[in-house]
Amino acid sequence: QVQLVESGGGLVQAGGSLRLSCAASGRIFSNYVMGWFRQAPGEERDFVAAVGWISGSTYYADSVKGRFTISRDKAKNTVYLQMNSLKPEDTAIYYCAAALSGSAWRRSSYSYWGQGTQVTVSV
């Protein structure tokens, strides 16, 4: 079992920055892929970014490429999402998730989810 706890959400003006954190505990396997997804009201939960826990390989949705950066600190069992140049359309609940197999961008690949953290970007 893996527990994931997100933090770092909040209210920011357009053009601003936020850094989300996801602290992982429990049975952390070295071959995990850690991902961030987001869900706006009335919308599907969409892929944002992912990172291989050992490889460090990163994957991004086209909508956030060049603005968001995902990283991990293996010593702290923590994954980060640095979000820059935020836009109102980035407003959503952001979820951290862990996957043992499958495609990094597919929601169905992820077995463990955090409770989410709200990000609101004002105009």
Side-chain angles (χ1 to χ4, degrees), residues 84-103:
N84 298 329
S85 302
L86 282 161
K87 305 174 181 180
E89 51 263 44
D90 295 317
T91 295
I93 299 174
Y94 283 70
Y95 296 91
C96 177
L100 270 174
S101 62
S103 299

Side-chain angles (χ1 to χ4, degrees), residues 22-106:
C22 172
S25 60
R27 299 184 66 188
I28 308 298
F29 296 102
S30 61
N31 56 338
Y32 267 76
V33 170
M34 302 298 295
W36 286 96
F37 286 73
R38 66 186 182 186
Q39 188 169 18
E43 302 290 333
E44 296 288 321
R45 190 172 298 187
D46 293 329
F47 171 74
V48 175
V51 61
W53 189 253
I54 292 298
S55 69
S57 297
T58 56
Y59 312 86
Y60 293 96
D62 287 343
S63 59
V64 306
K65 279 181 182 176
R67 300 188 298 124
F68 291 10
T69 302
I70 189 170
S71 62
R72 87 275 192 243
D73 185 329
K74 290 186 281 184
K76 295 182 178 179
N77 276 355
T78 301
V79 179
Y80 302 99
L81 185 68
Q82 178 66 44
M83 306 186 294
N84 298 329
S85 302
L86 282 161
K87 305 174 181 180
E89 51 263 44
D90 295 317
T91 295
I93 299 174
Y94 283 70
Y95 296 91
C96 177
L100 270 174
S101 62
S103 299
W105 56 89
R106 291 190 189 277

